Amino acid sequence: MTLSEYLKEQGVDDALHSIFMTLKEAVASIAEAIKISDKGKAGTENIYGEEQLALDVLSDKILGELFKKNEHVGLVASEELPDEMSVGEGEYAACYDPLDGSSLADVNLAVGTIVGIYKTDTFVGVKGDDQLASMIAVYGPSTTMILTVKKGVVKFQMDDKGEFVMCKSDIQVGEGKMFAPGNLRASAVREDYLKLVNYWMKEQYTLRYSGGMVPDINQILLKGKGIFSYPGYGDTPDGKLRILFECAPMSLLMEQAGGASTDGKVRVLEKIVERLDQRTPIFIGSKEEVKRCEEYLG
Ligand code: P6P
């Protein structure tokens, strides 16, 4: 079953179907760009002061231009741009991290694209629960998309003709001993995080942390188990991961797959986005593991 056939079978409206066709084209182009493009620096910085790579800028350009051409998309926001941008009269809005973990591309590790779709005329004031759909694309040995239109979670793989064919339906996340402990440096000053990481180690959990949130969450979704943690500490109490561009789209996928995602206290999907760059600590994965994080990090 192709992506288009799946979306039609789910009764997705023409506009959302069209937006996913745009995403399919963008993911295929970004996958090609990663293979052939310069992995060097763009000589620019994003609004977070993070050095942009040529690939960051190129991926952002690919998505921006394709969304501009889609009559249903009226608003976009990108992690690589300073603010949200009107791109037409469409009712739908797309927010994205065009190439999350891009610095991993120059050491040939998997990277990804993260997209959330809303029906809104501004992202200020939305919460992740308002998303109509979300998607992650992983550029690894193969190019894949995992997505939800809030009717469960499915995976598609790009074939040699650029078509996306379903390879896993009804993705479910249960329990299991696998952990992806982000921001481990926080355990040097946060006794509670040190205790939590020690628990996972003492219980002989399998460590699976790549430094790329997309492949790390992709792994938890596909293995059907595990926990990804990224706490804050010191002068970054909310960590580094953005609600709008990273945490909300991933949290929708995880909850739709039967997992959970909180900031240590409340569901990430309930958190109101007051600023586009707003960050949040995140504990996402198997339900019982998220509960354990909340107990340890109360
Ligand atoms: P750290 C990549 O830069 C990213 O935004 C996420 O993809 C990843 O999970 C996190 O940052 C890694 O952060 O602090 O381990 O480098």
Side-chain angles (χ1 to χ4, degrees), residues 100-101 183 185 209 211-213 228 230 240-241 246:
D100 181 71
N183 215 6
R185 56 185 80 80
Y209 187 78
M213 189 180 187
F228 174 97
Y230 205 100
K240 77 182 270 196
L241 301 173
E246 291 147 331

Side-chain angles (χ1 to χ4, degrees), residues 6-286:
Y6 169 75
L7 293 169
K8 286 181 182 144
E9 186 187 77
Q10 296 305 315
V12 156
D13 66 26
D14 291 349
L16 197 51
H17 178 275
S18 158
I19 289 170
F20 268 101
M21 293 303 105
T22 293
L23 280 174
K24 187 179 92 156
E25 196 181 337
V27 168
S29 305
I30 293 172
E32 191 52 30
I34 289 169
K35 277 202 210 97
I36 59 175
S37 295
D38 165 20
K39 305 289 189 294
K41 298 185 176 14
T44 52
E45 281 187 350
N46 63 17
I47 58 165
Y48 309 99
E50 294 162 344
E51 201 163 44
Q52 288 176 309
L53 296 172
L55 272 176
D56 279 332
V57 176
L58 179 55
S59 307
D60 185 61
K61 196 162 167 290
I62 290 169
L63 272 161
E65 282 174 4
L66 285 170
F67 275 134
K68 264 190 204 122
K69 280 199 277 187
N70 189 308
E71 60 175 322
H72 302 290
V73 177
L75 182 76
V76 296
S78 164
E79 186 178 283
E80 300 302 330
L81 294 176
D83 206 343
E84 61 187 21
M85 196 166 58
S86 167
V87 290
E89 302 306 310
E91 291 181 291
Y92 290 75
C95 56
Y96 45 89
D97 183 352
L99 202 63
D100 181 71
S102 48
S103 55
L104 299 168
D106 58 5
V107 290
N108 205 19
L109 285 176
V111 288
T113 296
I114 311 167
V115 183
I117 305 292
Y118 296 75
K119 223 179 201 174
T120 182
D121 54 10
T122 176
F123 287 105
V124 178
V126 302
K127 56 185 188 304
D129 272 333
D130 299 334
Q131 290 173 111
L132 301 170
S134 71
M135 181 281 284
I136 54 173
V138 181
Y139 311 102
S142 56
T143 296
T144 59
M145 285 167 91
I146 289 189
L147 63 97
T148 182
V149 290
K150 301 181 105 166
K151 294 181 177 173
V153 181
V154 288
K155 176 189 171 192
F156 293 84
Q157 181 156 327
M158 186 169 78
D159 67 16
D160 50 7
K161 295 184 283 306
E163 181 54 85
F164 280 79
V165 181
M166 184 185 286
C167 50
K168 198 168 167 65
S169 63
D170 191 23
I171 290 173
Q172 291 291 327
V173 173
E175 300 298 328
K177 292 188 168 186
M178 191 170 86
F179 73 132
N183 215 6
L184 215 41
R185 56 185 80 80
S187 60
V189 293
R190 283 194 59 170
E191 194 61 32
D192 54 354
Y193 194 45
L194 181 62
K195 283 201 179 99
L196 176 59
V197 172
N198 282 335
Y199 170 84
W200 286 323
M201 291 196 286
K202 282 197 194 100
E203 289 298 315
Q204 299 182 324
Y205 278 47
T206 299
L207 175 66
R208 288 290 181 270
Y209 187 78
S210 75
M213 189 180 187
V214 174
D216 290 343
I217 300 294
N218 179 67
Q219 180 158 212
I220 293 171
L221 288 165
L222 294 179
K223 291 280 186 343
K225 63 183 177 183
I227 181 76
F228 174 97
S229 57
Y230 205 100
Y233 76 105
D235 58 1
T236 53
D238 290 331
K240 77 182 270 196
L241 301 173
R242 274 66 48 148
I243 298 178
L244 196 60
F245 301 115
E246 291 147 331
C247 298
M250 302 271 203
S251 299
L252 181 64
L253 287 170
M254 193 57 73
E255 286 201 3
Q256 282 286 316
S261 175
T262 78
D263 66 0
K265 296 189 177 66
V266 299
R267 289 174 62 238
V268 168
L269 293 175
E270 284 169 16
K271 298 187 77 164
I272 304 282
V273 173
E274 279 142 16
R275 296 184 332 278
L276 268 55
D277 65 345
Q278 194 173 334
R279 300 156 195 259
T280 179
I282 184 166
F283 307 94
I284 177 171
S286 303

